[in-house]
Amino acid sequence: MPLVSDLSWRNQAAIVTILLVFLSEGINYSQPAPFFPNEAELKKGLSKSAVGTINSLFDWAIVVSCILLLPSASPGLVKLLFVSGAVLAAVANICFGVLTYAPGGLAFALPSAACRIVMGMGAALVWSAGIAWVTTLAPARYSGRLISIAEATGGLGSVLGPSIGSAVFNLGGYLFPFLTSGVLELIIIAFALIILPGGSSQKTSYKKLSSNSSCNDLDEFDENSEHSFVLENLVLLGFWEHFWPAVLRCWMHE
């Protein structure tokens, strides 16, 4: 494959790591769907409208976060935004599962809402910064392919989330799916801190591409107006991609 052969082993590992975080975020987004309504309605006494609102807060948080993130859409902040977003999402995901031990009513509803908001904020940072970042790890001619792969990976996680969540739920109860996915994401992020290149004033480096093109440093990162433009447009895309799902979840109480 030309894409693989054109990249250093470290950049290949970095791209795979980013994609694994995308997959994890997609799973976190959708995995509560089969069993959270039952937990919230039958065991905690919440109404269907409350359940729908809590679920929609993930999307609303992404919408608001994208608005707030746009002014700071700088390539120099990409690594910080990506890693901090993933850590926020993973910790909030675990806390969302721990709430099975909380009493019913508002004592369950308000912390659950807060967790979904933080998860959405983290996901907004991961998806916007991650896609912008992954395009800096390979030559520009592969940017479209990498963005497609990244979007597909996140979508795959969203599709697999309910099935994986249900299977893990059947094995260990309500907490187990959130604890498992949250801990796995934190492990991936710990690896990412070691393997992912990045720096505010660096340039991306690739494997030797031709006799006239070679790399000097595997840890270099490209900070230029093109990548700033990519990040800004991905933030706007994230806004519109999650605005209507948030509205529909509130309206349909799901």
Side-chain angles (χ1 to χ4, degrees):
M1 296 178 62
L3 174 58
V4 174
S5 62
D6 280 350
L7 301 180
S8 68
W9 70 268
R10 189 165 188 176
N11 281 12
Q12 292 178 36
I15 291 172
V16 170
T17 303
I18 293 173
L19 294 180
L20 287 175
V21 175
F22 274 41
L23 183 68
S24 179
E25 286 299 324
I27 292 173
N28 293 346
Y29 172 68
S30 62
Q31 75 171 352
F35 47 86
F36 173 70
N38 181 70
E39 179 81 10
E41 293 176 38
L42 301 183
K43 297 184 179 181
K44 306 300 182 181
L46 301 189
S47 65
K48 287 185 178 295
S49 60
V51 172
T53 300
I54 291 173
N55 276 331
S56 71
L57 288 175
F58 190 106
D59 295 288
W60 282 120
I62 292 178
V63 169
V64 175
S65 296
C66 287
I67 295 174
L68 298 177
L69 178 62
L70 187 58
S72 62
S74 166
L77 297 176
V78 165
K79 185 172 184 176
L80 174 63
L81 294 175
F82 180 82
V83 173
S84 60
V87 171
L88 278 175
V91 172
N93 190 44
I94 295 172
C95 292
F96 192 73
V98 171
L99 289 174
T100 188
Y101 300 110
L106 288 177
F108 176 80
L110 293 180
S112 295
C115 287
R116 289 295 280 179
I117 290 172
V118 175
M119 290 166 65
M121 292 170 59
L125 296 176
V126 167
W127 286 334
S128 299
I131 293 180
W133 194 3
V134 81
T135 60
T136 70
L137 297 172
R141 64 181 179 276
Y142 295 123
S143 293
R145 189 182 307 178
L146 285 171
I147 291 174
S148 298
I149 293 172
E151 288 281 0
T153 303
L156 178 63
S158 298
V159 171
L160 295 177
S163 299
I164 294 175
S166 297
V168 180
F169 173 82
N170 290 333
L171 290 175
Y174 183 82
L175 171 60
F176 202 41
F178 303 105
L179 181 63
T180 303
S181 59
V183 170
L184 286 176
E185 185 167 4
L186 289 175
I187 292 173
I188 296 170
I189 288 302
F191 179 74
L193 290 173
I194 300 173
I195 197 68
L196 290 180
S200 61
S201 61
Q202 298 173 320
K203 298 180 180 179
T204 297
S205 59
Y206 316 114
K207 194 174 181 180
K208 187 173 182 180
L209 303 178
S210 69
S211 58
N212 298 321
S213 141
S214 62
C215 65
N216 296 318
D217 188 346
L218 287 175
D219 291 325
E220 292 180 341
F221 179 81
D222 188 5
E223 180 180 18
N224 54 43
S225 59
E226 178 184 353
H227 292 140
S228 179
F229 175 80
V230 169
L231 180 55
E232 290 172 2
N233 280 275
L234 287 169
V235 170
L236 290 173
L237 176 62
F239 172 89
W240 290 112
E241 186 176 1
H242 290 272
F243 177 78
W244 295 114
V247 173
L248 291 174
R249 284 180 184 272
C250 289
W251 178 50
M252 300 176 68
H253 298 164
E254 292 183 356

